[in-house]
Amino acid sequence: MKFLLPICLFLISIPSTVAAHASLTRAQTREAEQRLSEMGYWTGTVDGLFDTATRSALVAFQKWEGRAVTGELTLDELEAIRTSAAPKAREPGYEHVEVDLDRQVLLLINDEGGVRVLSVSTGSGKEFVEEGQTSISYTPRGRFLVYEKESGWKNGPLGSTYYANFISGGVAIHGSRNVPNEPASHGCIRIPMFAAREVGKLLRVGTIVLVYDKVSFVSAKDWAENPKLKQAALLSTTANAYEYEDETKTRPSYVANKKARSKMIRA
């Protein structure tokens, strides 16, 4: 008899546990999609189907809210989605992009502060070898401008990019077939394939991009308020990115090669 109470309690607990992890109905999935979309998470079509875009939106939600990143839509997750608030920009008031490295999400922000949120994967912090030199897979922090864009697939020694938007040297926001839940790139900001082309259209040359973690943040309000400052910064960024092309005529080859390597895509 002394084992009866624990056994009963165990049996009573089973239904709630199973229910929390049971597959949702299509109507419940559509409700989750609709609410995620309303909060700004990039869900794709709201149709009640748990597809790649829906899962990516759920992962972005879990990252933003500090929940366990499972990518599984359960009743517990649905309830959390129902009661959560929309993500907010770190610096609202002007159109730009924010990359939160701690949360591993990207926010596209409009003039009114509205957001669209994507899950990303950034620099892993691990060592890698490029042309015989050891480097660190690092995504730079700071304020940047999109200074160059590419369409479609481009291949390089460190991987492939899809609709790349360059912000610093070889670092770009680009589509990738491999966007894990954790940092895994050589320094680039990988985004899901389903959104890459549209993001490429939205990120025009000159788009402000803020990349930060919990200890580093640089404002770009002065760029937003003074177009001449932003234009000067864009010209400087572009000149630095392509400086090595002119240096090949006047500088030793080892200097030119160093500049050229800085443009190597860090996919």
Side-chain angles (χ1 to χ4, degrees):
M1 294 298 292
K2 63 181 179 180
F3 297 109
L4 182 59
L5 181 58
I7 292 173
C8 289
L9 291 175
F10 174 73
L11 292 174
I12 291 171
S13 69
I14 289 177
S16 61
T17 303
V18 172
H21 294 84
S23 297
L24 302 188
T25 66
R26 184 164 181 172
Q28 289 172 318
T29 301
R30 190 181 190 285
E31 179 191 354
E33 285 180 314
Q34 185 65 48
R35 179 58 186 148
L36 287 169
S37 179
E38 290 170 355
M39 290 191 289
Y41 296 100
W42 202 316
T43 61
T45 304
V46 177
D47 54 9
L49 299 177
F50 192 73
D51 55 16
T52 300
T54 306
R55 185 183 184 280
S56 177
L58 174 61
V59 167
F61 167 79
Q62 291 172 332
K63 287 180 173 182
W64 182 267
E65 295 292 332
R67 300 177 65 81
V69 183
T70 65
E72 296 180 4
L73 183 57
T74 64
L75 288 175
D76 285 343
E77 295 304 311
L78 176 58
E79 185 58 30
I81 291 168
R82 287 168 173 164
T83 57
S84 295
K88 294 183 178 180
R90 177 76 177 267
E91 188 167 83
Y94 62 97
E95 183 178 348
H96 66 289
V97 173
E98 293 185 6
V99 180
D100 186 327
L101 296 175
D102 295 319
R103 288 188 170 106
Q104 288 289 287
V105 296
L106 177 149
L107 292 79
L108 295 104
I109 299 145
N110 61 26
D111 291 334
E112 292 75 39
V115 301
R116 297 183 76 179
V117 188
L118 281 169
S119 176
V120 301
S121 180
T122 61
S124 67
K126 299 177 181 179
E127 292 186 350
F128 69 94
V129 177
E130 174 189 332
E131 296 185 355
Q133 292 190 350
T134 300
S135 302
I136 299 297
S137 301
Y138 181 78
T139 301
R141 282 72 164 159
R143 62 180 187 176
F144 306 95
L145 295 165
V146 174
Y147 70 88
E148 182 185 348
K149 301 170 63 65
E150 293 178 342
S151 298
W153 283 105
K154 302 294 179 182
N155 299 317
L158 297 180
S160 301
T161 64
Y162 187 65
Y163 283 87
N165 308 271
F166 288 93
I167 63 171
S168 176
V171 174
I173 298 169
H174 67 81
S176 174
R177 293 191 180 98
N178 181 26
V179 186
N181 297 337
E182 64 282 338
S185 80
H186 292 95
C188 278
I189 299 159
R190 300 179 187 175
I191 62 175
M193 289 291 293
F194 69 84
R197 292 185 67 177
E198 187 171 348
V199 169
K201 293 177 182 178
L202 294 172
L203 270 58
R204 303 178 299 276
V205 169
T207 298
I208 296 171
V209 179
L210 306 181
V211 185
Y212 56 85
D213 55 27
K214 58 180 175 291
V215 297
S216 64
F217 179 82
V218 180
S219 172
K221 282 187 176 180
D222 57 339
W223 285 353
E225 295 169 355
N226 189 336
K228 290 184 178 179
L229 284 178
K230 190 178 86 165
Q231 184 62 22
L234 179 59
L235 290 173
S236 176
T237 300
T238 304
N240 289 337
Y242 296 106
E243 184 181 358
Y244 71 90
E245 294 182 355
D246 295 330
E247 287 184 344
T248 58
K249 302 174 183 178
T250 59
R251 301 286 185 88
S253 60
Y254 70 87
V255 176
N257 288 338
K258 184 177 180 181
K259 288 289 184 180
R261 278 197 295 271
S262 70
K263 184 61 172 60
M264 186 75 69
I265 298 173
R266 297 167 67 95

